[in-house]
């Protein structure tokens, strides 16, 4: 069974952390992953930096830009991760935009992910219908879960279609904004969380965007299986380097 599915079967709420590969320094990637697992994280989203990150706010954009300046590329990331499964057991997901994957070759990219032990991909700019028609068979051939995003504006029909072609979790964007732009959740967002929970989808939901502390983690996981923290963790890396990761995680839960 895919590690993502195994993790989702556990009774506890999932805490997933996102960071940009190659940030703060090019060769920090593996150490950050190892330290996050030791700190008790359930899943890690490894950001593949891209020059035009549509959904990312200024914090993640800045880390992505710095990672590119540091020399991060798709091949460098694969080289860094080639032995990651010797030391890390939790689910690993690569989150990135479709263009670098297309340039690398979709089949080659998926094959490399499978060799390394990547469990899934999050590709915000790959439409679900294009995936279903053109790429689903390739992803499944290599045992990769493709994770789709929904927002408060996503129609019921589209949510149900995403649910039907998914076999992992649904990434539930907390609001129609970029990453790192919120502090806390209001009644409108909580109503949205509850509305999706009440749909009884076959795939569990994990909430992202706006999760930055224990309070927002607990708010989100009242209605969902887990939550994702990205911008707040990158800010922590910017301010503290890679030396105080456990401290950050312990403050969340």
């Amino acid at each position: 069974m895919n590690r993502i599915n195994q993790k989702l079967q556990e009774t506890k709420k999932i805490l997933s952390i996102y960071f940009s590969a190659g940030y703060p320094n090019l060769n920090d990637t593996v150490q950050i992953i190892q330290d996050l697992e030791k700190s008790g994280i359930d899943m890690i989203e490894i950001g593949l930096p891209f020059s035009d990150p549509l959904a990312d706010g200024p914090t993640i954009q800045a880390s992505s830009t710095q990672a590119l300046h540091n020399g991060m590329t798709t091949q460098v990331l694969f080289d860094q991760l080639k032995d990651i499964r010797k030391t890390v057991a939790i689910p690993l997901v690569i989150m990135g935009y479709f263009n670098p994957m297309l340039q690398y070759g979709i089949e080659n990219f998926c094959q490399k992910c499978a060799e390394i032990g990547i469990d899934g991909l999050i590709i915000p700019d790959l439409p679900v219908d294009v995936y279903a028609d053109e790429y689903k068979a390739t992803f499944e051939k290599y045992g990769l879960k493709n994770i789709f995003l929904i927002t408060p504006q996503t129609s019921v029909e589209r949510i149900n279609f995403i649910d039907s072609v998914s076999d992992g979790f649904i990434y539930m964007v907390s609001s129609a904004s970029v990453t790192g732009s919120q502090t806390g959740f209001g009644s409108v967002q909580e109503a949205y969380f509850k509305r999706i929970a009440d749909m009884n989808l076959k795939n569990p939901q994990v909430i992202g965007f706006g999760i930055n502390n224990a309070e927002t983690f607990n708010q989100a996981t009242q209605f969902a299986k887990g939550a994702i923290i990205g911008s707040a963790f990158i800010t922590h890396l910017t301010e503290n380097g890679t030396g105080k990761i456990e401290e950050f995680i312990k403050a969340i839960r």
Side-chain angles (χ1 to χ4, degrees):
M1 183 187 290
N2 184 287
R3 294 179 195 89
I4 293 172
N5 299 108
Q6 287 179 318
K7 183 60 67 174
L8 292 167
Q9 286 182 359
E10 294 179 8
T11 54
K12 69 174 179 177
K13 298 295 187 177
I14 285 173
L15 174 56
S16 180
I17 294 287
Y18 168 96
F19 76 100
S20 299
Y23 180 84
N25 301 298
L26 180 63
N27 293 315
D28 286 339
T29 309
V30 170
Q31 190 65 55
I32 289 172
I33 292 169
Q34 292 170 339
D35 289 350
L36 282 170
E37 182 176 49
K38 287 173 191 167
S39 301
I41 287 305
D42 301 297
M43 183 162 55
I44 298 171
E45 294 170 21
I46 305 161
L48 178 59
F50 182 53
S51 56
D52 190 21
L54 302 174
D56 296 322
T59 301
I60 292 178
Q61 279 192 29
S63 69
S64 185
T65 299
Q66 184 60 53
L68 292 171
H69 287 161
N70 290 345
M72 180 52 68
T73 65
T74 303
Q75 189 58 55
V76 168
L77 179 59
F78 285 150
D79 291 343
Q80 288 181 350
L81 297 179
K82 69 181 189 301
D83 295 319
I84 196 68
R85 285 303 175 192
K86 292 179 180 177
T87 57
V88 173
I90 61 174
L92 299 175
V93 175
I94 289 180
M95 183 169 186
Y97 293 87
F98 194 52
N99 187 274
M101 300 175 193
L102 200 58
Q103 295 299 319
Y104 197 86
I106 297 303
E107 179 118 14
N108 290 339
F109 190 92
C110 290
Q111 184 175 6
K112 202 70 182 171
C113 285
E115 287 172 7
I116 289 165
I118 298 299
D119 303 292
L121 299 172
I122 301 172
I123 312 169
D125 59 341
L126 175 61
V128 61
D129 43 354
V130 174
Y131 165 76
D133 291 343
E134 299 182 32
Y135 301 111
K136 188 171 186 281
T138 303
F139 279 51
E140 290 178 347
K141 175 181 173 182
Y142 293 103
L144 294 168
K145 305 299 179 184
N146 196 22
I147 312 302
F148 289 99
L149 285 70
I150 64 170
T151 74
Q153 285 71 41
T154 307
S155 69
V156 169
E157 180 184 36
R158 193 164 185 82
I159 291 169
N160 283 324
F161 181 54
I162 286 170
D163 192 44
S164 73
V165 300
S166 298
D167 177 30
F169 66 91
I170 292 173
Y171 188 132
M172 195 169 154
V173 177
S174 63
S175 68
S177 63
V178 296
T179 57
S181 60
Q182 302 172 69
T183 53
F185 298 124
S187 58
V188 172
Q189 284 158 318
E190 289 199 352
Y192 158 59
F193 298 161
K194 187 175 186 306
R195 173 170 63 86
I196 301 301
D198 288 346
M199 288 180 71
N200 294 315
L201 301 172
K202 72 180 176 74
N203 291 277
Q205 300 89 58
V206 179
I207 296 175
F209 291 45
I211 319 291
N212 49 33
N213 54 27
E215 182 187 358
T216 46
F217 176 77
N218 291 332
Q219 270 187 292
T221 54
Q222 266 188 286
F223 302 95
K225 178 62 180 174
I228 301 157
I229 296 177
S231 296
F233 180 65
I234 289 172
T235 297
H236 179 81
L237 291 177
T238 303
E239 294 173 354
N240 301 282
T242 58
K244 296 183 178 178
I245 287 175
E246 188 174 8
E247 201 175 286
F248 178 85
I249 302 307
K250 281 185 173 175
I252 304 298
R253 67 170 186 193

